[in-house]
Amino acid sequence: MTKRPGILVAVGATVAGLVTATPSPAAADAEPRTATAPLRWTDCGTEAHPRLQCATVRTPLDHDDPSGRHITLALSRIPHTAKTFQGPLLVNPGGPGGSGLPMAGFVASSLPRAVAAQYDVIGFDPRGVGRSRPALNCLPGFFDPLRPDSVPHAPGVEEANRNRTVSFAKACGEKYPDLLPHMDTVSAAKDLDVIRRATGAHRLNYFGYSYGTYLGAVYAKLFPERVRRMALDSSVDPEGVWYEDNIGQNYAFDARHKAFAAWVAKHDSAYGLGGDPARVERAWYTMRRAVAEHPAGGKVGASELEDTFLPGGYYNGYWPHLAEAFAAYVKDREENALVKAYEKFGALDAEGDNGYSVYTAVQCRDASWPREWNTWRNDGWRVQAKAPFSTWNNTWYNAPCADWPVEPLRPVRVSNKSLPPVLLFQATDDAATPYQGGVTMHRRLRGSRLVVEQGGGNHGITLSDNDCLDTYLADYLAKGTVPRGRTGGSEADAVCAKSPDPTPAADRATKAARATVAETRGGVLHRLLGFRG
């Protein structure tokens, strides 16, 4: 989880040399279709996506009892327009707990038009999420400021944080006793097959980011014969589900925070925090101590500050905005700058409360977590010594699993040798799903191909303004082509250069270059992917 690879052997830095490896569109079109419970699509277009359609589908709460209680999943679709129809392409942003409804419009508009036109691009809110019913919200306002300092320097601080997480687990159990036993990845994967049947397709195509890679891999394990094409971006390490994966994140996010400090130091002329990365990093921790004692604007304490800067570990497009707030506070004590940054990047609304409730419900149910708090405490301090940026913040984020009211399941072993070639994308310096997870997923899915963004640190790298990566994805979806197998001992089957780092706002010379993060495709994607997933 924590290893960083060296320079990879570039097996194919461009898309030359692709080979056809999955069934042709004609073969897919010829497959028999099931006509069970057809979907009723209605127009729900937006200004950005006027052709968007919406539907719902009913799925068993307990797939082992299909005649029992049913729940409802919300779906969105951009329908195909080309004569060549390659079937449904289900898209998922991760989480668990991320809403997938906006993903249909984003993916359909971000792929080359001729490729998107061949698919019904379908987004969905997984069980418990967003517009699916029922939707979970265990303890509204759980992340409202001010929270205790995440680092338990004193017994009272640890007790306050423990009481919070225990109360969250208790509230979930009391509010959703009938739902929690069925909030897990296997149930969500079986929901995907319900959606497939409702579309009338014999096989489905799937494109998932982050946790969505694990959801896709579990689906492929349960229904390998139903997979036509599958692209997975920023893979979860399937061997670390979920406690070990989170420990690996702590090291990786600390490294990414250091990369942020180095970027700020490189642009000292813009921010004035010093040209030495270590000095910049020290200034950040000095700021953290200051807001721990006197929260900025009465709203941003130490935990809220960590929440504010954590998104920078997911996407470096946020760095200029975070650096501006950082510099404004350190140099001029502009507390409002931190408050505005927190409200933009760190604060949770009702949608965030829902997402966190589903996140905990799924991860706590999916796999065993330590039940003895001493295990969490000892691991927290051990990792904190080397990776102080977000270790304890992440510990408390997951700590409800220590007291979860439902017994855990055993994780699915996602190894598979019965699939058409799966196409994987991974950045070498991704913090949320560290590089080794992509390598492990590559090994588990026999015949898969791994495309690496060398030196990239963002989480979610396709359809985010890297033409090299996007060409591999588009060719795979259009024709089923994948890179040739790796050579020279590298884990990568193809390598792309990383996307350029952002530039400070003061260095942007043209109006187009001054566009906000929200106006870039990468910014839109990372808002949809969210954080922690």
Side-chain angles (χ1 to χ4, degrees):
M1 293 289 294
T2 60
K3 293 180 180 178
R4 291 290 179 269
I7 300 299
L8 299 170
V9 178
V11 180
T14 68
V15 295
L18 296 170
V19 293
T20 302
T22 60
S24 67
D29 290 343
E31 291 174 355
R33 297 177 179 271
T34 58
T36 306
L39 296 167
R40 295 181 179 179
W41 295 101
T42 60
D43 291 336
C44 59
T46 65
E47 183 177 352
H49 306 293
R51 295 197 304 115
L52 193 69
Q53 299 175 338
C54 294
T56 59
V57 64
R58 297 176 71 246
T59 186
L61 173 64
D62 180 355
H63 284 280
D64 291 333
D65 182 18
S67 62
R69 178 183 173 185
H70 279 59
I71 58 176
T72 302
L73 307 179
L75 312 179
S76 62
R77 178 179 76 163
I78 300 291
H80 74 283
T81 56
K83 291 182 179 180
T84 300
F85 177 46
Q86 302 210 49
L89 173 63
L90 272 63
V91 293
N92 180 269
S99 171
L101 292 182
M103 289 295 292
F106 172 79
V107 171
S109 62
S110 299
L111 287 170
R113 184 175 301 177
V115 177
Q118 298 177 36
Y119 288 94
D120 283 349
V121 183
I122 297 176
F124 60 98
D125 278 354
R127 56 175 54 204
V129 175
R131 295 186 184 178
S132 292
R133 292 293 180 266
L136 274 64
N137 194 340
C138 295
L139 195 58
F142 182 68
F143 285 97
D144 287 354
L146 284 160
R147 308 199 311 274
D149 192 328
S150 65
V151 180
H153 293 295
V157 178
E158 179 174 352
E159 182 180 8
N161 279 299
R162 276 288 287 147
N163 288 342
R164 289 185 71 254
T165 62
V166 170
S167 69
F168 186 88
K170 181 180 179 182
C172 285
E174 291 176 349
K175 198 169 184 179
Y176 303 111
D178 52 340
L179 296 179
L180 293 189
H182 308 291
M183 293 297 300
D184 58 271
T185 300
V186 169
S187 294
K190 291 179 178 179
D191 290 342
L192 296 185
D193 209 55
V194 171
I195 297 172
R196 177 195 64 78
R197 293 198 304 270
T199 67
H202 181 63
R203 290 182 294 168
L204 62 73
N205 308 282
Y206 180 87
F207 176 31
Y209 291 91
S210 191
Y211 164 79
T213 66
Y214 184 65
L215 176 61
V218 170
Y219 178 83
K221 181 69 174 183
L222 299 177
F223 307 100
E225 74 284 357
R226 299 303 184 193
V227 175
R228 182 173 178 270
R229 288 179 189 158
M230 180 172 286
L232 306 178
D233 184 328
S234 304
S235 288
V236 165
D237 188 335
E239 293 182 354
V241 177
W242 289 111
Y243 185 73
E244 292 299 326
D245 277 352
N246 276 278
I247 288 178
Q249 281 186 336
N250 297 336
Y251 291 104
F253 272 107
D254 193 78
R256 200 69 189 134
H257 189 60
K258 286 179 168 59
F260 166 69
W263 181 85
V264 173
K266 179 180 178 180
H267 297 286
D268 182 46
S269 61
Y271 303 115
L273 293 171
D276 177 12
R279 177 182 171 184
V280 173
E281 191 176 17
R282 286 195 299 272
W284 192 90
Y285 284 103
T286 299
M287 176 175 64
R288 186 193 186 283
R289 288 192 295 272
V291 299
E293 294 180 7
H294 302 287
K299 183 178 288 188
V300 182
S303 292
E304 290 77 23
L305 186 76
E306 291 164 345
D307 292 349
T308 302
F309 281 78
L310 187 68
Y314 286 83
Y315 178 51
N316 64 10
Y318 300 137
W319 286 0
H321 304 265
L322 296 172
E324 288 166 9
F326 178 15
Y329 180 84
V330 170
K331 294 193 299 180
D332 301 316
R333 281 298 186 269
E334 291 186 16
E335 295 189 3
N336 195 47
L338 287 186
V339 172
K340 287 183 176 179
Y342 166 71
E343 290 173 345
K344 182 172 185 178
F345 297 109
L348 289 188
D349 54 13
E351 181 180 352
D353 286 341
N354 166 242
Y356 179 66
S357 295
V358 175
Y359 171 93
T360 51
V362 173
Q363 292 217 341
C364 298
R365 176 64 167 155
D366 264 359
S368 295
W369 295 72
R371 288 287 182 168
E372 293 294 328
W373 181 246
N374 278 340
T375 301
W376 294 73
R377 177 190 293 119
N378 293 339
D379 284 341
W381 285 118
R382 173 178 59 83
V383 179
Q384 168 82 8
K386 294 183 178 180
F389 169 59
S390 62
T391 290
W392 275 106
N393 189 298
N394 196 31
T395 298
W396 298 120
Y397 195 83
N398 291 282
C401 293
D403 302 279
W404 202 243
V406 179
E407 289 298 311
L409 302 171
R410 291 185 178 182
V412 175
R413 183 168 179 80
V414 300
S415 59
N416 207 315
K417 58 183 179 181
S418 303
L419 298 174
V422 174
L423 188 59
L424 311 175
F425 296 89
Q426 201 80 17
T428 55
D429 297 334
D430 181 359
T433 52
Y435 177 77
Q436 188 58 40
V439 173
T440 302
M441 189 72 83
H442 186 24
R443 293 171 179 167
R444 287 282 190 91
L445 303 180
R446 184 176 298 182
S448 64
R449 297 291 189 268
L450 176 62
V451 180
V452 169
E453 185 184 28
Q454 180 65 46
N458 290 337
H459 177 65
I461 55 177
T462 56
L463 305 185
S464 187
D465 305 309
N466 186 312
D467 291 341
C468 176
L469 298 168
D470 291 351
T471 301
Y472 280 110
L473 176 64
D475 281 2
Y476 177 69
L477 293 176
K479 299 172 288 188
T481 53
V482 295
R484 299 184 185 277
R486 60 187 182 272
T487 60
S490 171
E491 293 288 355
D493 298 297
V495 176
C496 292
K498 74 169 187 174
S499 299
D501 285 339
T503 56
D507 293 346
R508 299 170 191 169
T510 66
K511 183 177 180 180
R514 287 196 300 269
T516 64
V517 169
E519 293 169 338
T520 67
R521 196 170 68 178
V524 173
L525 171 66
H526 287 87
R527 286 206 315 277
L528 297 178
L529 299 188
F531 314 124
R532 304 278 191 175

